[in-house]
Amino acid sequence: MFKTAYYVLLLSMMIAGPVYGQSQLDVGVRLQKSINLYTENGLTMQYTNPKLVHSRLYIGASYVSSRFGTALSSNAIKQDNVLATVSYYFRPTWLIQPVVKANVGYFRADYGSAIFNDLPQTSLLASPELGLCYCPNFPIKINGSVGFNLITSDGLTGPGTLYPVFVQTSITWNILKKPKP
């Protein structure tokens, strides 16, 4: 699943076109918690350059899973999320910048037993996020936000473990930023 997210990001980088020395490719971890349910952790990456609204618009991809959170060493339901994201950073000169995100993607739950095969296991994802980013003049970014899954279910028409409200923290490193001598 992460392979699909990787290809989405790679395609967006080719469409945006490279601007060497000013492009940013942030790669890191995403820690996510559905309110009253699972912790899901995984990888995230986002890309921008000056052609994308003066480096305020980021195009990215994330993979988060309860396999690296609540389901690690437990019998919790294993669920995977693959997301394509678009983020807009306000106030680019501020140390703490407001951020809005739009995510679309795919959700899959693995119930772990054949007796649950009749239950819905997959869903499309669509979620806005609103948050803040700590963006120092250093290659690291720490982003925290609250999101809302627009597509949820009662367990009969879609996966019952896809809860509406989640919080997330991403810690990323700009791998294209060269250290100053």
Side-chain angles (χ1 to χ4, degrees), residues 3-4 6 21 24 61 68-69 78 100 109 114 125 142-143 147 176:
K3 199 180 232 185
T4 304
Y6 170 78
Q24 294 180 45
F68 309 118
K78 293 164 179 63
V100 294
L125 293 172
I142 301 171
N143 186 325
L176 299 179

Side-chain angles (χ1 to χ4, degrees), residues 94-97 133-142 177:
W94 290 11
L95 181 62
I96 298 178
Q97 301 172 17
C133 179
Y134 173 68
C135 303
N137 190 13
F138 189 70
I140 197 168
K141 282 190 178 90
I142 301 171
K177 185 164 186 167

Side-chain angles (χ1 to χ4, degrees), residues 45-59:
M45 57 185 151
Q46 62 181 10
Y47 173 80
T48 192
N49 70 41
K51 289 182 181 179
L52 295 172
V53 193
H54 306 288
S55 297
R56 289 182 177 195
L57 186 70
Y58 285 75
I59 300 167

